[in-house]
Every structure is written in structure tokens, then in C-alpha cells.
Amino acid sequence: MNNTLEDVGKKLYNIYFTIGAVAMALLAILVAFTVIARYFFAHSWKQLAEFITTLFAFTTFWGMGVCLLRNDHVIIDIVYDRIKPSIKRWVAVLDYVIVLAVVLVFTFYSFRYVKTAGIQISQGMGIPMKYMYGIMPVSGILCAICTVIKIVGFIKADISEFAPVYYKKDRDGEGGESK
């Protein structure tokens, strides 16, 4: 059962990551298109400009959970790396509980914001702003789920996962990690 749960988790993560990657690729293509259209043909579309802005916000908020799951977020670990592994686990749990609290506050207020500002109609695309702002509460919920996954992972992890990480130079002079 544990392997099945892990397989489902990996598949869900791949879907989550793929949606973000496709959105980022679309964003890059559309930005390149609008720059070429504007500078070479003197054309611009307010609808497309607004969609690009919305897509940029989408990729930013969507990426919050991915960054948590992949440990690609900013961390200052100079003190954390010097803590004993048995204590390091609980420091990590406490850290992510704080992250969860911030994400839940963000999600709560983003729902309120969408409810208030979402009734306006966008000037470019002519749709209710709730469709544009809706990524905030959706990403907040997804990020909260990702944070809970990390907390559970820290609690269930073997103590060796919290062993110190030492950096060394490999034979090509590139930095590498080893335990």
C-alpha cells in the first residue's frame, strides 16, 4: 500500500509540475510573440497583455508548492546544518508549521480578496476578475497540502536524512554534495 501511495504521489506531483512547466513555456512564447509584434509590426493587444500578466501571476503562485516539495526555496542553513540530527528533525517540523500558518493566512485573505475584487470586469479580456485572482486561493490550498506533505515526511523520515551535509570539490573543480 505504501508503494501505491508513493506512486500516486509521484504521478500527482508530475501533473502539478507539468501544468506549471506548460504555463511557463506558454508565457515565454507569448512574451516573445508580443515583443516581436510590437517592435517589428507596431501591433499590440490589450487582451493578450492582460492574459500574459495573469499567466505570470499564475506561474508565480503555482510554483509555491513545487518549490516546497523540491526544496528550491530560499533557506539560510548556517545554523541549521550545525544542529544534531535528532533536534534538526523537529526544527524542520517547526519551520514548516510556521510556513503552513503563513500559507493558511495567505489562503484565507486571498479568498476574501477574490470575493471582494472578483466582481469587477477586466478591461482587457472582459471577464470577471475572480477568474484572474482565483489562482491565489487555489495555489494557497495546493501549497498548504505540499507543506503538510513535507511535515509528514520530516516526521516519518529516518534520522540519517538529517545527517550533516558536507561540500567538497570533485575532480573537475565543480562543487558537489556528499554525506
Side-chain angles (χ1 to χ4, degrees), residues 36-109:
I36 291 169
R38 187 178 320 123
Y39 289 106
F40 291 108
F41 304 106
H43 290 323
S44 65
W45 298 271
K46 67 180 180 179
Q47 297 89 346
L48 187 56
E50 189 172 82
F51 180 73
I52 287 171
T53 302
T54 303
L55 193 56
F56 178 74
F58 175 86
T59 58
T60 301
F61 287 115
W62 191 260
M64 291 187 327
V66 173
C67 287
L68 278 172
L69 290 174
R70 293 178 53 136
N71 291 324
D72 285 342
H73 51 83
V74 175
I75 184 170
I76 301 171
D77 55 1
I78 191 166
V79 175
Y80 180 75
D81 285 343
R82 288 170 171 58
I83 298 174
K84 288 197 277 185
S86 59
I87 297 172
K88 194 184 279 190
R89 171 194 316 265
W90 300 111
V91 170
V93 168
L94 177 63
D95 182 35
Y96 278 81
V97 166
I98 293 168
V99 169
L100 181 60
V102 170
V103 168
L104 291 175
V105 168
F106 165 78
T107 305
F108 174 77
Y109 283 105

Side-chain angles (χ1 to χ4, degrees), residues 6-20:
E6 284 182 27
D7 292 341
V8 169
K10 287 178 185 178
K11 287 178 183 175
L12 288 174
Y13 170 78
N14 287 336
I15 292 168
Y16 183 39
F17 185 82
T18 301
I19 290 169

Side-chain angles (χ1 to χ4, degrees), residues 140-162:
I141 291 168
L142 290 172
C143 191
I145 292 168
C146 294
T147 306
V148 170
I149 289 169
K150 289 294 284 190
I151 291 169
V152 170
F154 288 140
I155 293 170
K156 292 176 67 176
D158 187 76
I159 197 72
S160 64
E161 295 293 320
F162 300 96

